[in-house]
Amino acid sequence: MFTVNAYAAPSATGPLVPTSIERRDVGPHDVLIEIKFAGICHSDIHTVRGDWGPQHYPLAPGHEIAGIVTEVGTAVTKHAVGDRVGVGCMVNSCRECVHCQAGEEQYCLAGNTGTYGAPDRDGTITQGGYSTHVVVTEDFVLRIPAGLELDVAAPLLCAGITTFSPLNHWGAGPGKKVAIVGLGGLGHMAVKIAAAMGAEVTVLSQTLNKHDDGIKLGADHFHATSDPETFTKLAGSFDLIINTVSAAIDINAYLQLLTLNGALVNVGAPAEPLPVQAFSLITGRRSFAGSMIGGIRETQDMLDFCAKHGIGSEIEVIRPEQINDAYERVLASDVRYRFVIDTATL
Ligand code: NAP
Ligand code: ZN
Ligand code: ZN
């Protein structure tokens, strides 16, 4: 074991503070990564504040990690010292179940090992990317393609893959009308990726404040959900709606915006339930679905797709001591569009 600097939450209510955490020694299949940048995902906030259940503290969040390999284990073949790499929301899985075998490790039947706050295979609790270094088994380390800077690549490891995967799975592309609900970290990546896939993209945001940004990101249309007319004007419009909102919204109102056979896919993960009326579904053979991050192979495909299309995240780089302020701004929907921590001064 060795000790590294980190920022961690001491409890569900206290601000994050500078601290040190332990990393395991580099095993034969492990890669040691010097973390350069770590994105702030709304899931970090949900987790440290206990929205999704009790946690082990101190807890260093961070699952949008970009950095450089500084050491590899004796059996490592996929990565070499000096490589530019990323780590997302999971650092291991059982590798044997039907979903792991299919490359959908995020749905591992034994539960994937989350990058932070999860029991690791050795029984310790994982700690995330708000730190200077991390040790990860090579199979869960992604290559960041040349042409993508590490700071704008970091958010792709969660916000990018979480939106790429359902857009891909539900066939976003030419001739498809796709709506993105919520223009935050996930939402802005969804707009960029859906536009690059060739879909006609509409943003549904609380207000028109982010209109110009939305169009610049690649959206064709932008509507305010605070305006009741939006829901009458757009009724029956979309083949696919991706809901990225971190709070509970009226799903039934959004289901009415789907065309026949359309799907509303929830990636937002509020603590509260999202009640659905049967009639919202049966009157248009509509689906209400969910999606969680993406598998390792698909995450690499997403990074390669983003590099090919020149897609990075829109970021505001912050110092570690600004993390708590950044959390407040994320909670106030005041993020344009991802905070990324520069770990140099950790
Ligand atoms: P974020 O940056 O805070 O973006 C959420 C956006 O939702 C806000 O910018 C805002 O957009 C809108 N919003 C917020 N509160 C709202 C409310 N009360 N009513 C209506 N709209 C509201 O968060 P994020 O990092 O993108 O994460 C979004 C959600 O996805 C979180 O719940 C997170 O935990 C979850 N998540 C899930 C997965 C997965 O695998 N499924 C992965 C990562 C994150 P406007 O200002 O445009 O309205
Ligand atoms: Zn995340
Ligand atoms: Zn498995």
Side-chain angles (χ1 to χ4, degrees):
M1 297 280 238
F2 60 101
T3 300
V4 301
N5 290 345
Y7 244 74
S11 69
T13 49
L16 278 75
V17 292
T19 185
S20 55
I21 56 172
E22 293 200 317
R23 297 299 191 189
R24 68 169 179 263
D25 292 328
V26 177
H29 296 281
D30 284 338
V31 170
L32 173 64
I33 300 165
E34 182 184 344
I35 299 172
K36 296 290 189 187
F37 297 99
I40 293 180
C41 178
H42 205 119
S43 300
D44 301 348
I45 305 175
H46 286 306
T47 306
V48 300
R49 304 219 165 157
D51 289 356
W52 296 339
Q55 301 295 322
H56 296 268
Y57 296 97
L59 171 60
H63 58 207
E64 294 185 335
I65 299 171
I68 307 281
V69 175
T70 53
E71 189 182 331
V72 294
T74 50
V76 167
T77 58
K78 293 181 174 153
H79 307 284
V81 170
D83 284 359
R84 304 159 77 249
V85 293
V87 176
C89 301
M90 47 183 183
V91 289
N92 217 334
S93 70
C94 87
R95 299 155 186 250
E96 286 166 1
C97 74
V98 60
H99 298 160
C100 285
Q101 291 287 317
E104 304 266 31
E105 301 89 350
Q106 73 278 32
Y107 303 119
C108 175
L109 292 174
N112 74 60
T113 304
T115 301
Y116 57 79
D120 209 342
R121 307 274 140 180
D122 63 7
T124 59
I125 299 296
T126 55
Q127 296 282 12
Y130 297 5
S131 61
T132 58
H133 296 80
V134 64
V135 177
V136 180
T137 183
E138 64 169 330
D139 294 336
F140 285 72
V141 176
L142 287 307
R143 290 182 307 281
I144 296 184
L148 272 181
E149 296 299 329
L150 292 182
D151 53 0
V152 300
L156 303 180
L157 275 305
C158 175
I161 184 59
T162 300
T163 50
F164 179 90
S165 184
L167 287 166
N168 200 21
H169 184 82
W170 273 273
K176 290 289 169 74
K177 292 187 177 183
V178 175
I180 308 300
V181 189
L183 196 63
L186 266 56
H188 94 287
M189 289 312 311
V191 170
K192 286 191 175 205
I193 292 169
M197 287 175 170
E200 182 178 335
V201 182
T202 299
V203 175
L204 300 174
S205 183
Q206 292 168 94
T207 65
L208 293 178
N209 293 345
K210 301 176 183 171
H211 171 275
D212 293 358
D213 290 349
I215 301 299
K216 263 188 240 151
L217 292 165
D220 302 285
H221 316 281
F222 196 107
H223 298 275
T225 54
S226 52
D227 178 358
E229 258 195 36
T230 291
F231 291 89
T232 47
K233 258 190 323 213
L234 300 178
S237 295
F238 301 110
D239 300 293
L240 176 63
I241 300 175
I242 308 280
N243 175 27
T244 75
V245 174
S246 46
I249 56 172
D250 178 9
I251 292 297
N252 298 291
Y254 290 84
L255 285 167
Q256 299 307 321
L257 305 185
L258 289 172
T259 185
L260 183 64
N261 300 324
L264 191 167
V265 182
N266 218 83
V267 292
E272 304 77 24
L274 296 169
V276 171
Q277 301 286 346
F279 278 94
S280 302
L281 299 172
I282 64 182
T283 52
R285 202 159 53 199
R286 305 182 185 99
S287 306
F288 180 44
S291 183
M292 186 168 69
I293 49 174
I296 293 298
R297 191 167 56 225
E298 193 178 29
T299 304
Q300 190 63 57
D301 289 349
M302 176 277 307
L303 288 166
D304 296 344
F305 176 92
C306 287
K308 185 174 156 208
H309 291 272
I311 294 176
S313 178
E314 301 301 310
I315 58 169
E316 186 172 333
V317 176
I318 60 167
R319 296 184 307 280
E321 61 271 26
Q322 295 174 287
I323 291 171
N324 294 298
D325 288 342
Y327 273 26
E328 292 311 316
R329 286 185 51 196
V330 170
L331 288 166
S333 302
D334 177 25
V335 50
R336 309 239 173 159
Y337 281 85
R338 203 56 145 181
F339 290 109
V340 171
I341 305 159
D342 179 345
T343 62
T345 57
L346 258 177

